[in-house]
Amino acid sequence: MRDVPNRHRGLPSRTPEMLYNVVRKFYRGAVSHYDLIQEKKREAHACWEQMQTSGDDRPLRAALTTLFLEFHFYVTCWLQIELALYRLARQDERLALVMDTFRAALERHVAVREQLEQTEACVAAQFTALGSGWSCPGIEQDAYLFDGFTFTVDESSLVELHALYAAIEEQRRLSPNEKA
């Protein structure tokens, strides 16, 4: 299994056309998954509200597990786009500039992807002791804690994804080696 820190080692060679197809496929996958994630966030919020009255955190933990599995799919799409872009960038300096422009967004999504490999630990990290009970600030603020930074799949993440895809597609259209 390829781990995130070593993700660029030993990648098989692919034609630019194949790599652009990978970008397109995973972009569409992430975009199509966005609404499901928003639904799972609403379900987790409802479980959080239920926990406020019942004190039982088990439904919330289950809802967060499901939510984070959906996050995992979304950030895996980002990872696959990043891997394809990395290979494209090695062949075309214009795509290297795209990668540099979006490096922070790519790294943030890939870092969350790495954290989500340990879903149960990610769920546990969302709960903080609060007096005699537990709180889950990520639910309240839609900002979940992943190894010292906060993250969520929201409109700004989707806007970044659209911008990344548009930049890659623009370079594809300008490439003399690619078919339109």
Side-chain angles (χ1 to χ4, degrees):
M1 178 169 88
R2 185 182 306 276
D3 59 351
V4 169
N6 298 309
R7 67 188 178 275
H8 297 132
R9 288 193 185 142
L11 291 171
S13 62
R14 300 283 187 255
T15 65
E17 182 179 355
M18 290 172 72
L19 294 170
Y20 284 120
N21 284 337
V22 166
V23 169
R24 200 171 304 113
K25 173 184 173 182
F26 286 100
Y27 165 75
R28 285 192 311 250
V31 169
S32 70
H33 212 64
Y34 180 80
D35 289 337
L36 177 61
I37 290 170
Q38 302 317 303
E39 177 185 321
K40 296 302 176 188
K41 284 170 35 177
R42 287 188 295 274
E43 290 173 10
H45 194 273
C47 290
W48 174 76
E49 288 176 342
Q50 177 186 349
M51 184 186 79
Q52 301 305 301
T53 57
S54 72
D56 183 4
D57 68 352
R58 289 175 297 182
L60 177 55
R61 287 179 185 273
L64 283 173
T65 299
T66 300
L67 175 62
F68 288 170
L69 290 172
E70 302 305 338
F71 274 20
H72 187 272
F73 178 84
Y74 180 83
V75 294
T76 295
C77 291
W78 274 81
L79 172 63
Q80 292 301 321
I81 292 168
E82 190 268 351
L83 288 170
L85 181 57
Y86 172 81
R87 289 185 274 189
L88 286 164
R90 294 180 70 197
Q91 300 171 21
D92 185 331
E93 66 186 38
R94 294 169 306 160
L95 287 159
L97 292 172
V98 170
M99 190 158 196
D100 285 344
T101 300
F102 290 92
R103 186 169 310 283
L106 288 162
E107 291 299 326
R108 185 175 61 256
H109 286 83
V110 169
V112 170
R113 164 64 168 68
E114 183 178 21
Q115 294 296 309
L116 285 169
E117 288 297 312
Q118 304 297 320
T119 307
E120 288 181 28
C122 289
V123 169
Q126 305 310 307
F127 290 84
T128 56
L130 182 68
S132 61
W134 292 95
S135 176
C136 190
I139 293 281
E140 300 167 63
Q141 300 156 6
D142 190 25
Y144 303 90
L145 185 62
F146 293 97
D147 197 28
F149 65 94
T150 58
F151 177 84
T152 192
V153 176
D154 61 4
E155 190 67 31
S156 65
S157 173
L158 194 60
V159 166
E160 286 176 320
L161 181 63
H162 290 317
L164 172 61
Y165 181 71
I168 294 169
E169 278 296 296
E170 177 66 20
Q171 294 311 315
R172 182 190 63 79
R173 283 191 289 278
L174 294 174
S175 175
N177 300 329
E178 272 306 297
K179 302 171 191 164

